[in-house]
PDB file of all heavy atoms in Angstrom:
ATOM      1  N   PHE F 408      46.569  38.780 186.761  1.00 92.00           N
ATOM      2  CA  PHE F 408      46.753  37.461 186.147  1.00 92.00           C
ATOM      3  C   PHE F 408      48.135  37.358 185.525  1.00 92.00           C
ATOM      4  O   PHE F 408      48.818  36.358 185.654  1.00 92.00           O
ATOM      5  CB  PHE F 408      45.709  37.219 185.054  1.00 92.00           C
ATOM      6  CG  PHE F 408      44.344  36.873 185.573  1.00 92.00           C
ATOM      7  CD1 PHE F 408      43.281  36.698 184.700  1.00 92.00           C
ATOM      8  CD2 PHE F 408      44.113  36.700 186.938  1.00 92.00           C
ATOM      9  CE1 PHE F 408      42.017  36.381 185.158  1.00 92.00           C
ATOM     10  CE2 PHE F 408      42.857  36.382 187.404  1.00 92.00           C
ATOM     11  CZ  PHE F 408      41.801  36.224 186.512  1.00 92.00           C
ATOM     12  N   GLU F 409      48.532  38.459 184.831  1.00 92.00           N
ATOM     13  CA  GLU F 409      49.815  38.439 184.155  1.00 92.00           C
ATOM     14  C   GLU F 409      50.953  38.234 185.136  1.00 92.00           C
ATOM     15  O   GLU F 409      51.866  37.452 184.888  1.00 92.00           O
ATOM     16  CB  GLU F 409      50.027  39.755 183.403  1.00 92.00           C
ATOM     17  CG  GLU F 409      49.879  39.606 181.909  1.00 92.00           C
ATOM     18  CD  GLU F 409      49.533  40.915 181.231  1.00 92.00           C
ATOM     19  OE1 GLU F 409      50.320  41.869 181.362  1.00 92.00           O
ATOM     20  OE2 GLU F 409      48.466  40.981 180.583  1.00 92.00           O
ATOM     21  N   GLU F 410      50.875  38.943 186.270  1.00 92.00           N
ATOM     22  CA  GLU F 410      51.942  38.809 187.256  1.00 92.00           C
ATOM     23  C   GLU F 410      52.027  37.398 187.799  1.00 92.00           C
ATOM     24  O   GLU F 410      53.100  36.811 187.900  1.00 92.00           O
ATOM     25  CB  GLU F 410      51.722  39.804 188.407  1.00 92.00           C
ATOM     26  CG  GLU F 410      52.414  41.116 188.143  1.00 92.00           C
ATOM     27  CD  GLU F 410      51.889  42.215 189.048  1.00 92.00           C
ATOM     28  OE1 GLU F 410      51.597  41.908 190.230  1.00 92.00           O
ATOM     29  OE2 GLU F 410      51.767  43.345 188.563  1.00 92.00           O
ATOM     30  N   GLU F 411      50.859  36.846 188.132  1.00 92.00           N
ATOM     31  CA  GLU F 411      50.845  35.484 188.666  1.00 92.00           C
ATOM     32  C   GLU F 411      51.386  34.502 187.618  1.00 92.00           C
ATOM     33  O   GLU F 411      52.170  33.612 187.925  1.00 92.00           O
ATOM     34  CB  GLU F 411      49.418  35.097 189.059  1.00 92.00           C
ATOM     35  CG  GLU F 411      49.375  33.819 189.864  1.00 92.00           C
ATOM     36  CD  GLU F 411      47.954  33.440 190.240  1.00 92.00           C
ATOM     37  OE1 GLU F 411      47.123  34.339 190.472  1.00 92.00           O
ATOM     38  OE2 GLU F 411      47.680  32.228 190.294  1.00 92.00           O
ATOM     39  N   ALA F 412      50.973  34.712 186.362  1.00 92.00           N
ATOM     40  CA  ALA F 412      51.416  33.830 185.277  1.00 92.00           C
ATOM     41  C   ALA F 412      52.929  33.906 185.114  1.00 92.00           C
ATOM     42  O   ALA F 412      53.597  32.880 184.959  1.00 92.00           O
ATOM     43  CB  ALA F 412      50.714  34.203 183.976  1.00 92.00           C
ATOM     44  N   MET F 413      53.476  35.118 185.170  1.00 92.00           N
ATOM     45  CA  MET F 413      54.923  35.260 185.002  1.00 92.00           C
ATOM     46  C   MET F 413      55.667  34.519 186.113  1.00 92.00           C
ATOM     47  O   MET F 413      56.709  33.912 185.873  1.00 92.00           O
ATOM     48  CB  MET F 413      55.328  36.744 184.986  1.00 92.00           C
ATOM     49  CG  MET F 413      54.988  37.475 183.706  1.00 92.00           C
ATOM     50  SD  MET F 413      55.525  36.647 182.197  1.00 92.00           S
ATOM     51  CE  MET F 413      57.294  36.824 182.333  1.00 92.00           C
ATOM     52  N   GLY F 414      55.102  34.560 187.317  1.00 92.00           N
ATOM     53  CA  GLY F 414      55.713  33.839 188.437  1.00 92.00           C
ATOM     54  C   GLY F 414      55.802  32.350 188.140  1.00 92.00           C
ATOM     55  O   GLY F 414      56.849  31.721 188.343  1.00 92.00           O
ATOM     56  N   LEU F 415      54.710  31.796 187.627  1.00 91.00           N
ATOM     57  CA  LEU F 415      54.695  30.364 187.307  1.00 91.00           C
ATOM     58  C   LEU F 415      55.662  30.045 186.174  1.00 91.00           C
ATOM     59  O   LEU F 415      56.349  29.030 186.201  1.00 91.00           O
ATOM     60  CB  LEU F 415      53.278  29.932 186.909  1.00 91.00           C
ATOM     61  CG  LEU F 415      52.271  29.834 188.044  1.00 91.00           C
ATOM     62  CD1 LEU F 415      50.868  29.621 187.490  1.00 91.00           C
ATOM     63  CD2 LEU F 415      52.639  28.686 188.977  1.00 91.00           C
ATOM     64  N   LEU F 416      55.708  30.933 185.184  1.00 92.00           N
ATOM     65  CA  LEU F 416      56.606  30.692 184.053  1.00 92.00           C
ATOM     66  C   LEU F 416      58.064  30.701 184.507  1.00 92.00           C
ATOM     67  O   LEU F 416      58.874  29.912 184.033  1.00 92.00           O
ATOM     68  CB  LEU F 416      56.383  31.738 182.959  1.00 92.00           C
ATOM     69  CG  LEU F 416      55.072  31.613 182.197  1.00 92.00           C
ATOM     70  CD1 LEU F 416      54.892  32.767 181.234  1.00 92.00           C
ATOM     71  CD2 LEU F 416      55.005  30.291 181.444  1.00 92.00           C
ATOM     72  N   ARG F 417      58.377  31.600 185.454  1.00 91.00           N
ATOM     73  CA  ARG F 417      59.742  31.626 185.985  1.00 91.00           C
ATOM     74  C   ARG F 417      60.065  30.314 186.680  1.00 91.00           C
ATOM     75  O   ARG F 417      61.136  29.756 186.522  1.00 91.00           O
ATOM     76  CB  ARG F 417      59.899  32.793 186.967  1.00 91.00           C
ATOM     77  CG  ARG F 417      60.490  34.025 186.324  1.00 91.00           C
ATOM     78  CD  ARG F 417      60.909  35.038 187.366  1.00 91.00           C
ATOM     79  NE  ARG F 417      59.761  35.584 188.091  1.00 91.00           N
ATOM     80  CZ  ARG F 417      58.983  36.554 187.618  1.00 91.00           C
ATOM     81  NH1 ARG F 417      59.229  37.092 186.448  1.00 91.00           N
ATOM     82  NH2 ARG F 417      57.965  37.000 188.325  1.00 91.00           N
ATOM     83  N   MET F 418      59.081  29.811 187.427  1.00 88.00           N
ATOM     84  CA  MET F 418      59.267  28.565 188.161  1.00 88.00           C
ATOM     85  C   MET F 418      59.588  27.417 187.202  1.00 88.00           C
ATOM     86  O   MET F 418      60.357  26.523 187.509  1.00 88.00           O
ATOM     87  CB  MET F 418      57.967  28.257 188.879  1.00 88.00           C
ATOM     88  CG  MET F 418      58.105  27.461 190.114  1.00 88.00           C
ATOM     89  SD  MET F 418      56.571  27.736 190.988  1.00 88.00           S
ATOM     90  CE  MET F 418      56.730  26.568 192.238  1.00 88.00           C
ATOM     91  N   LEU F 419      58.977  27.426 186.030  1.00 88.00           N
ATOM     92  CA  LEU F 419      59.183  26.355 185.072  1.00 88.00           C
ATOM     93  C   LEU F 419      60.223  26.718 184.018  1.00 88.00           C
ATOM     94  O   LEU F 419      60.369  26.028 183.013  1.00 88.00           O
ATOM     95  CB  LEU F 419      57.861  25.989 184.413  1.00 88.00           C
ATOM     96  CG  LEU F 419      57.020  25.161 185.379  1.00 88.00           C
ATOM     97  CD1 LEU F 419      55.569  25.513 185.288  1.00 88.00           C
ATOM     98  CD2 LEU F 419      57.226  23.689 185.150  1.00 88.00           C
ATOM     99  N   ALA F 420      60.896  27.834 184.255  1.00 87.00           N
ATOM    100  CA  ALA F 420      61.999  28.258 183.393  1.00 87.00           C
ATOM    101  C   ALA F 420      61.591  28.425 181.936  1.00 87.00           C
ATOM    102  O   ALA F 420      62.317  28.073 181.017  1.00 87.00           O
ATOM    103  CB  ALA F 420      63.170  27.275 183.500  1.00 87.00           C
ATOM    104  N   VAL F 421      60.403  28.963 181.691  1.00 88.00           N
ATOM    105  CA  VAL F 421      60.009  29.296 180.320  1.00 88.00           C
ATOM    106  C   VAL F 421      59.589  30.758 180.225  1.00 88.00           C
ATOM    107  O   VAL F 421      58.954  31.152 179.266  1.00 88.00           O
ATOM    108  CB  VAL F 421      58.865  28.395 179.786  1.00 88.00           C
ATOM    109  CG1 VAL F 421      59.417  27.102 179.244  1.00 88.00           C
ATOM    110  CG2 VAL F 421      57.815  28.122 180.835  1.00 88.00           C
ATOM    111  N   ASP F 422      59.956  31.573 181.237  1.00 89.00           N
ATOM    112  CA  ASP F 422      59.465  32.956 181.259  1.00 89.00           C
ATOM    113  C   ASP F 422      60.008  33.797 180.103  1.00 89.00           C
ATOM    114  O   ASP F 422      59.360  34.721 179.661  1.00 89.00           O
ATOM    115  CB  ASP F 422      59.794  33.632 182.601  1.00 89.00           C
ATOM    116  CG  ASP F 422      61.259  33.484 182.968  1.00 89.00           C
ATOM    117  OD1 ASP F 422      61.781  32.366 182.851  1.00 89.00           O
ATOM    118  OD2 ASP F 422      61.871  34.488 183.377  1.00 89.00           O
ATOM    119  N   ARG F 423      61.202  33.426 179.577  1.00 90.00           N
ATOM    120  CA  ARG F 423      61.712  34.280 178.491  1.00 90.00           C
ATOM    121  C   ARG F 423      60.937  34.077 177.184  1.00 90.00           C
ATOM    122  O   ARG F 423      61.111  34.826 176.242  1.00 90.00           O
ATOM    123  CB  ARG F 423      63.209  34.075 178.294  1.00 90.00           C
ATOM    124  CG  ARG F 423      63.594  32.708 177.825  1.00 90.00           C
ATOM    125  CD  ARG F 423      65.036  32.364 178.135  1.00 90.00           C
ATOM    126  NE  ARG F 423      65.246  30.943 177.932  1.00 90.00           N
ATOM    127  CZ  ARG F 423      65.667  30.438 176.785  1.00 90.00           C
ATOM    128  NH1 ARG F 423      65.934  31.202 175.758  1.00 90.00           N
ATOM    129  NH2 ARG F 423      65.809  29.131 176.662  1.00 90.00           N
ATOM    130  N   HIS F 424      60.073  33.072 177.122  1.00 90.00           N
ATOM    131  CA  HIS F 424      59.262  32.866 175.916  1.00 90.00           C
ATOM    132  C   HIS F 424      57.834  33.364 176.085  1.00 90.00           C
ATOM    133  O   HIS F 424      56.982  33.052 175.268  1.00 90.00           O
ATOM    134  CB  HIS F 424      59.202  31.380 175.563  1.00 90.00           C
ATOM    135  CG  HIS F 424      60.550  30.766 175.357  1.00 90.00           C
ATOM    136  ND1 HIS F 424      61.413  31.205 174.388  1.00 90.00           N
ATOM    137  CD2 HIS F 424      61.170  29.756 175.999  1.00 90.00           C
ATOM    138  CE1 HIS F 424      62.518  30.474 174.444  1.00 90.00           C
ATOM    139  NE2 HIS F 424      62.400  29.596 175.423  1.00 90.00           N
ATOM    140  N   ALA F 425      57.589  34.137 177.149  1.00 88.00           N
ATOM    141  CA  ALA F 425      56.202  34.489 177.503  1.00 88.00           C
ATOM    142  C   ALA F 425      55.395  35.038 176.338  1.00 88.00           C
ATOM    143  O   ALA F 425      54.224  34.715 176.190  1.00 88.00           O
ATOM    144  CB  ALA F 425      56.196  35.478 178.656  1.00 88.00           C
ATOM    145  N   SER F 426      56.009  35.866 175.466  1.00 88.00           N
ATOM    146  CA  SER F 426      55.206  36.475 174.411  1.00 88.00           C
ATOM    147  C   SER F 426      55.333  35.740 173.078  1.00 88.00           C
ATOM    148  O   SER F 426      54.878  36.228 172.049  1.00 88.00           O
ATOM    149  CB  SER F 426      55.598  37.944 174.255  1.00 88.00           C
ATOM    150  OG  SER F 426      56.986  38.021 174.039  1.00 88.00           O
ATOM    151  N   GLN F 427      55.951  34.555 173.097  1.00 88.00           N
ATOM    152  CA  GLN F 427      56.063  33.743 171.871  1.00 88.00           C
ATOM    153  C   GLN F 427      54.806  32.892 171.679  1.00 88.00           C
ATOM    154  O   GLN F 427      54.172  32.495 172.640  1.00 88.00           O
ATOM    155  CB  GLN F 427      57.238  32.770 172.008  1.00 88.00           C
ATOM    156  CG  GLN F 427      58.584  33.420 172.040  1.00 88.00           C
ATOM    157  CD  GLN F 427      59.130  33.602 170.641  1.00 88.00           C
ATOM    158  OE1 GLN F 427      58.720  32.911 169.729  1.00 88.00           O
ATOM    159  NE2 GLN F 427      60.026  34.545 170.492  1.00 88.00           N
ATOM    160  N   LEU F 428      54.515  32.583 170.421  1.00 88.00           N
ATOM    161  CA  LEU F 428      53.480  31.584 170.169  1.00 88.00           C
ATOM    162  C   LEU F 428      54.018  30.226 170.610  1.00 88.00           C
ATOM    163  O   LEU F 428      55.205  29.937 170.431  1.00 88.00           O
ATOM    164  CB  LEU F 428      53.140  31.524 168.680  1.00 88.00           C
ATOM    165  CG  LEU F 428      52.377  32.708 168.107  1.00 88.00           C
ATOM    166  CD1 LEU F 428      52.149  32.510 166.617  1.00 88.00           C
ATOM    167  CD2 LEU F 428      51.048  32.891 168.798  1.00 88.00           C
ATOM    168  N   VAL F 429      53.166  29.372 171.156  1.00 89.00           N
ATOM    169  CA  VAL F 429      53.665  28.094 171.675  1.00 89.00           C
ATOM    170  C   VAL F 429      54.308  27.236 170.607  1.00 89.00           C
ATOM    171  O   VAL F 429      55.198  26.439 170.889  1.00 89.00           O
ATOM    172  CB  VAL F 429      52.551  27.258 172.338  1.00 89.00           C
ATOM    173  CG1 VAL F 429      52.295  27.724 173.738  1.00 89.00           C
ATOM    174  CG2 VAL F 429      51.301  27.218 171.510  1.00 89.00           C
ATOM    175  N   THR F 430      53.857  27.420 169.362  1.00 89.00           N
ATOM    176  CA  THR F 430      54.400  26.572 168.298  1.00 89.00           C
ATOM    177  C   THR F 430      55.873  26.887 168.007  1.00 89.00           C
ATOM    178  O   THR F 430      56.552  26.117 167.340  1.00 89.00           O
ATOM    179  CB  THR F 430      53.583  26.741 167.001  1.00 89.00           C
ATOM    180  OG1 THR F 430      53.254  28.121 166.858  1.00 89.00           O
ATOM    181  CG2 THR F 430      52.324  25.927 167.053  1.00 89.00           C
ATOM    182  N   ASN F 431      56.375  28.019 168.514  1.00 90.00           N
ATOM    183  CA  ASN F 431      57.783  28.358 168.292  1.00 90.00           C
ATOM    184  C   ASN F 431      58.706  27.756 169.342  1.00 90.00           C
ATOM    185  O   ASN F 431      59.912  27.922 169.268  1.00 90.00           O
ATOM    186  CB  ASN F 431      57.968  29.877 168.322  1.00 90.00           C
ATOM    187  CG  ASN F 431      57.228  30.556 167.196  1.00 90.00           C
ATOM    188  OD1 ASN F 431      56.873  29.913 166.218  1.00 90.00           O
ATOM    189  ND2 ASN F 431      56.970  31.830 167.338  1.00 90.00           N
ATOM    190  N   LEU F 432      58.137  27.073 170.329  1.00 90.00           N
ATOM    191  CA  LEU F 432      58.951  26.541 171.415  1.00 90.00           C
ATOM    192  C   LEU F 432      59.401  25.115 171.128  1.00 90.00           C
ATOM    193  O   LEU F 432      58.774  24.403 170.349  1.00 90.00           O
ATOM    194  CB  LEU F 432      58.150  26.553 172.726  1.00 90.00           C
ATOM    195  CG  LEU F 432      58.264  27.812 173.585  1.00 90.00           C
ATOM    196  CD1 LEU F 432      57.809  29.029 172.818  1.00 90.00           C
ATOM    197  CD2 LEU F 432      57.466  27.658 174.848  1.00 90.00           C
ATOM    198  N   SER F 433      60.473  24.710 171.801  1.00 89.00           N
ATOM    199  CA  SER F 433      60.927  23.332 171.630  1.00 89.00           C
ATOM    200  C   SER F 433      59.962  22.390 172.348  1.00 89.00           C
ATOM    201  O   SER F 433      59.130  22.814 173.144  1.00 89.00           O
ATOM    202  CB  SER F 433      62.329  23.173 172.219  1.00 89.00           C
ATOM    203  OG  SER F 433      62.247  23.059 173.618  1.00 89.00           O
ATOM    204  N   TYR F 434      60.113  21.111 172.046  1.00 88.00           N
ATOM    205  CA  TYR F 434      59.189  20.125 172.578  1.00 88.00           C
ATOM    206  C   TYR F 434      59.177  20.119 174.106  1.00 88.00           C
ATOM    207  O   TYR F 434      58.127  20.159 174.743  1.00 88.00           O
ATOM    208  CB  TYR F 434      59.589  18.752 172.045  1.00 88.00           C
ATOM    209  CG  TYR F 434      58.600  17.680 172.364  1.00 88.00           C
ATOM    210  CD1 TYR F 434      57.463  17.533 171.592  1.00 88.00           C
ATOM    211  CD2 TYR F 434      58.795  16.831 173.431  1.00 88.00           C
ATOM    212  CE1 TYR F 434      56.545  16.558 171.880  1.00 88.00           C
ATOM    213  CE2 TYR F 434      57.878  15.852 173.734  1.00 88.00           C
ATOM    214  CZ  TYR F 434      56.760  15.716 172.954  1.00 88.00           C
ATOM    215  OH  TYR F 434      55.842  14.753 173.258  1.00 88.00           O
ATOM    216  N   GLY F 435      60.360  20.082 174.690  1.00 88.00           N
ATOM    217  CA  GLY F 435      60.443  20.057 176.156  1.00 88.00           C
ATOM    218  C   GLY F 435      59.836  21.303 176.773  1.00 88.00           C
ATOM    219  O   GLY F 435      59.173  21.236 177.811  1.00 88.00           O
ATOM    220  N   GLU F 436      60.057  22.452 176.105  1.00 90.00           N
ATOM    221  CA  GLU F 436      59.492  23.704 176.620  1.00 90.00           C
ATOM    222  C   GLU F 436      57.969  23.699 176.546  1.00 90.00           C
ATOM    223  O   GLU F 436      57.294  24.153 177.458  1.00 90.00           O
ATOM    224  CB  GLU F 436      60.049  24.891 175.833  1.00 90.00           C
ATOM    225  CG  GLU F 436      61.496  25.205 176.177  1.00 90.00           C
ATOM    226  CD  GLU F 436      62.164  26.120 175.170  1.00 90.00           C
ATOM    227  OE1 GLU F 436      61.644  26.264 174.038  1.00 90.00           O
ATOM    228  OE2 GLU F 436      63.223  26.664 175.499  1.00 90.00           O
ATOM    229  N   GLN F 437      57.446  23.126 175.440  1.00 92.00           N
ATOM    230  CA  GLN F 437      55.985  23.042 175.325  1.00 92.00           C
ATOM    231  C   GLN F 437      55.400  22.200 176.455  1.00 92.00           C
ATOM    232  O   GLN F 437      54.362  22.523 177.021  1.00 92.00           O
ATOM    233  CB  GLN F 437      55.587  22.440 173.976  1.00 92.00           C
ATOM    234  CG  GLN F 437      55.886  23.358 172.818  1.00 92.00           C
ATOM    235  CD  GLN F 437      55.303  22.860 171.506  1.00 92.00           C
ATOM    236  OE1 GLN F 437      54.400  22.041 171.479  1.00 92.00           O
ATOM    237  NE2 GLN F 437      55.833  23.349 170.413  1.00 92.00           N
ATOM    238  N   ARG F 438      56.092  21.112 176.775  1.00 91.00           N
ATOM    239  CA  ARG F 438      55.643  20.277 177.891  1.00 91.00           C
ATOM    240  C   ARG F 438      55.598  21.080 179.183  1.00 91.00           C
ATOM    241  O   ARG F 438      54.696  20.943 179.986  1.00 91.00           O
ATOM    242  CB  ARG F 438      56.593  19.084 178.072  1.00 91.00           C
ATOM    243  CG  ARG F 438      56.415  18.001 177.029  1.00 91.00           C
ATOM    244  CD  ARG F 438      55.604  16.853 177.610  1.00 91.00           C
ATOM    245  NE  ARG F 438      55.276  15.872 176.595  1.00 91.00           N
ATOM    246  CZ  ARG F 438      54.077  15.288 176.483  1.00 91.00           C
ATOM    247  NH1 ARG F 438      53.119  15.562 177.308  1.00 91.00           N
ATOM    248  NH2 ARG F 438      53.853  14.404 175.537  1.00 91.00           N
ATOM    249  N   ARG F 439      56.611  21.916 179.364  1.00 91.00           N
ATOM    250  CA  ARG F 439      56.651  22.699 180.603  1.00 91.00           C
ATOM    251  C   ARG F 439      55.562  23.767 180.617  1.00 91.00           C
ATOM    252  O   ARG F 439      54.998  24.068 181.666  1.00 91.00           O
ATOM    253  CB  ARG F 439      58.039  23.334 180.784  1.00 91.00           C
ATOM    254  CG  ARG F 439      59.133  22.304 180.950  1.00 91.00           C
ATOM    255  CD  ARG F 439      60.270  22.796 181.793  1.00 91.00           C
ATOM    256  NE  ARG F 439      61.006  23.890 181.177  1.00 91.00           N
ATOM    257  CZ  ARG F 439      62.030  23.708 180.332  1.00 91.00           C
ATOM    258  NH1 ARG F 439      62.425  22.491 180.019  1.00 91.00           N
ATOM    259  NH2 ARG F 439      62.656  24.746 179.837  1.00 91.00           N
ATOM    260  N   VAL F 440      55.270  24.329 179.431  1.00 92.00           N
ATOM    261  CA  VAL F 440      54.172  25.301 179.365  1.00 92.00           C
ATOM    262  C   VAL F 440      52.872  24.623 179.763  1.00 92.00           C
ATOM    263  O   VAL F 440      52.049  25.191 180.477  1.00 92.00           O
ATOM    264  CB  VAL F 440      54.039  25.898 177.944  1.00 92.00           C
ATOM    265  CG1 VAL F 440      52.761  26.713 177.819  1.00 92.00           C
ATOM    266  CG2 VAL F 440      55.244  26.752 177.620  1.00 92.00           C
ATOM    267  N   GLU F 441      52.700  23.383 179.338  1.00 93.00           N
ATOM    268  CA  GLU F 441      51.470  22.679 179.697  1.00 93.00           C
ATOM    269  C   GLU F 441      51.351  22.507 181.210  1.00 93.00           C
ATOM    270  O   GLU F 441      50.277  22.644 181.776  1.00 93.00           O
ATOM    271  CB  GLU F 441      51.404  21.319 178.994  1.00 93.00           C
ATOM    272  CG  GLU F 441      50.142  21.202 178.166  1.00 93.00           C
ATOM    273  CD  GLU F 441      49.654  19.785 178.015  1.00 93.00           C
ATOM    274  OE1 GLU F 441      50.388  18.842 178.350  1.00 93.00           O
ATOM    275  OE2 GLU F 441      48.514  19.623 177.568  1.00 93.00           O
ATOM    276  N   ILE F 442      52.474  22.180 181.852  1.00 92.00           N
ATOM    277  CA  ILE F 442      52.438  22.041 183.301  1.00 92.00           C
ATOM    278  C   ILE F 442      52.129  23.384 183.953  1.00 92.00           C
ATOM    279  O   ILE F 442      51.304  23.480 184.856  1.00 92.00           O
ATOM    280  CB  ILE F 442      53.771  21.466 183.831  1.00 92.00           C
ATOM    281  CG1 ILE F 442      53.985  20.060 183.252  1.00 92.00           C
ATOM    282  CG2 ILE F 442      53.783  21.418 185.346  1.00 92.00           C
ATOM    283  CD1 ILE F 442      55.308  19.436 183.624  1.00 92.00           C
TER     284      ILE F 442
END
Side-chain angles (χ1 to χ4, degrees):
Chain F
F408 283 176
E409 254 157 59
E410 269 164 37
E411 191 180 326
M413 285 310 291
L415 287 171
L416 289 175
R417 264 192 294 279
M418 207 161 171
L419 284 142
V421 276
D422 51 314
R423 65 202 167 92
H424 303 300
S426 55
Q427 292 272 338
L428 289 179
V429 279
T430 40
N431 296 341
L432 270 59
S433 79
Y434 188 81
E436 286 165 343
Q437 291 189 19
R438 285 259 173 222
R439 296 210 294 273
V440 170
E441 237 208 348
I442 298 176

